[in-house]
């Protein structure tokens, strides 16, 4: 019993990221998925909701997948979004796709940047 108490104590000290990594490692090791048990536990107890809220993503990265056919328009939009880049740096970013355009921004900002780049002809992904 002392060993089990020690395991519980160690697991309680994990951060959310460490717990997610542990879950992934256990899924790989045993060939199971933790998604089904979590989904079943929610209706029964509802205690999983605070844990999910803590894991909710708050920072996003917009990744330029492809500059598309209208690279000049995409370069202009990249410069509009990233005022810290000069023309050459923006061109290098577009031509070096896939590249991160903006990192650690809110969902709303990520959506706005993705919309601008998509309208300019680029293919983007929000992570």
């Amino acid at each position: 019993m002392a060993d089990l108490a020690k395991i519980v104590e160690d697991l309680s000290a994990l951060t959310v990221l460490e717990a997610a990594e542990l879950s992934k490692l256990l899924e790989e090791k045993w060939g199971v998925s933790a998604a089904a048990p979590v989904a079943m536990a929610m209706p029964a107890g509802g205690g999983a909701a605070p844990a999910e809220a803590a894991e909710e993503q708050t920072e996003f990265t917009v990744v330029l997948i492809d500059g598309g056919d209208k690279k000049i328009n995409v370069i202009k939009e990249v410069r509009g979004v990233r005022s810290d880049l000069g023309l050459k740096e923006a061109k290098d970013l577009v031509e070096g796709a896939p590249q991160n355009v903006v990192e650690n921004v809110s969902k709303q900002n990520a959506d706005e940047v993705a919309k601008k780049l998509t309208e300019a002809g680029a293919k983007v992904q929000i992570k």
Side-chain angles (χ1 to χ4, degrees):
M1 275 313 228
D3 291 337
L4 293 177
K6 172 95 171 89
I7 291 172
V8 170
E9 184 179 319
D10 290 344
L11 290 175
S12 297
L14 293 177
T15 66
V16 174
L17 292 175
E18 291 170 333
E21 181 66 22
L22 174 62
S23 174
K24 191 183 303 181
L25 291 171
L26 292 176
E27 287 175 6
E28 290 172 7
K29 174 79 173 172
W30 293 327
V32 296
S33 175
V38 171
M40 291 170 42
M42 284 177 50
E52 283 185 20
E55 292 180 24
E56 186 175 332
Q57 187 173 356
T58 58
E59 293 182 341
F60 298 85
T61 299
V62 178
V63 180
L64 177 69
I65 303 298
D66 183 23
D69 296 333
K70 302 176 182 177
K71 287 188 180 178
I72 293 173
N73 293 339
V74 175
I75 292 168
K76 287 179 183 178
E77 287 301 326
V78 167
R79 287 197 66 207
V81 171
R82 295 271 310 268
S83 59
D84 62 318
L85 296 180
L87 181 59
K88 180 178 179 351
E89 291 85 5
K91 180 180 179 270
D92 291 344
L93 188 145
V94 172
E95 291 179 347
Q99 295 279 340
N100 294 346
V101 178
V102 291
E103 298 175 338
N104 302 326
V105 296
S106 69
K107 177 69 172 162
Q108 181 180 359
N109 288 347
D111 287 339
E112 289 173 9
V113 169
K115 181 180 176 187
K116 287 179 183 179
L117 292 172
T118 302
E119 288 174 354
K123 293 180 184 175
V124 298
Q125 180 181 25
I126 299 176
K127 292 185 179 182

Coordinates of all heavy atoms in Angstrom, one line a residue, residues 34-35 56 60-61 67 74-75 90 94 117 121:
A34 N -6.7 6.7 -24.0 CA -7.3 7.2 -22.8 C -8.6 8.0 -23.1 O -9.3 8.5 -22.2 CB -6.4 8.1 -22.0
A35 N -8.9 8.2 -24.4 CA -10.0 9.1 -24.8 C -11.3 8.5 -24.4 O -12.2 9.2 -23.9 CB -10.0 9.3 -26.3
E56 N -7.2 23.3 -21.9 CA -7.6 24.0 -23.1 C -6.5 24.9 -23.6 O -5.9 25.6 -22.9 CB -8.9 24.8 -22.7 CG -9.5 25.5 -23.9 CD -10.8 26.2 -23.6 OE1 -11.4 25.8 -22.6 OE2 -11.1 27.2 -24.3
F60 N -1.9 30.0 -29.7 CA -1.9 29.3 -31.0 C -0.7 29.8 -31.9 O -0.2 30.9 -31.7 CB -3.2 29.6 -31.7 CG -4.4 29.0 -31.0 CD1 -5.0 29.7 -30.0 CD2 -4.9 27.8 -31.3 CE1 -6.0 29.2 -29.3 CE2 -5.9 27.2 -30.6 CZ -6.5 28.0 -29.5
T61 N -0.4 29.0 -32.9 CA 0.7 29.4 -33.9 C 0.1 29.3 -35.2 O -0.6 28.3 -35.6 CB 1.9 28.4 -33.7 OG1 2.4 28.5 -32.4 CG2 2.9 28.7 -34.8
G67 N 2.9 29.4 -50.0 CA 2.7 30.7 -50.4 C 1.7 30.9 -51.5 O 1.1 32.0 -51.7
V74 N 0.9 37.5 -50.6 CA 1.1 36.8 -49.4 C 2.3 37.5 -48.6 O 2.2 37.8 -47.4 CB 1.4 35.3 -49.6 CG1 1.8 34.7 -48.3 CG2 0.2 34.7 -50.2
I75 N 3.3 37.9 -49.4 CA 4.5 38.6 -48.7 C 4.0 39.9 -48.1 O 4.4 40.3 -47.0 CB 5.6 38.9 -49.8 CG1 6.2 37.5 -50.2 CG2 6.6 39.8 -49.2 CD1 7.1 37.6 -51.4
A90 N 10.4 38.8 -45.1 CA 9.0 38.3 -45.4 C 9.1 37.4 -46.6 O 8.4 36.4 -46.6 CB 8.1 39.5 -45.6
V94 N 8.0 33.4 -46.7 CA 7.0 32.8 -47.7 C 7.6 31.7 -48.5 O 7.0 30.7 -48.7 CB 6.4 33.9 -48.5 CG1 5.5 33.4 -49.6 CG2 5.6 34.9 -47.6
L117 N -4.1 35.8 -44.6 CA -3.1 35.1 -45.4 C -3.9 34.2 -46.5 O -3.5 34.1 -47.6 CB -2.2 34.2 -44.6 CG -1.2 35.0 -43.8 CD1 -0.4 34.1 -42.8 CD2 -0.2 35.8 -44.6
G121 N -4.1 34.3 -50.8 CA -3.8 33.1 -51.6 C -2.9 32.1 -51.0 O -2.5 31.1 -51.6

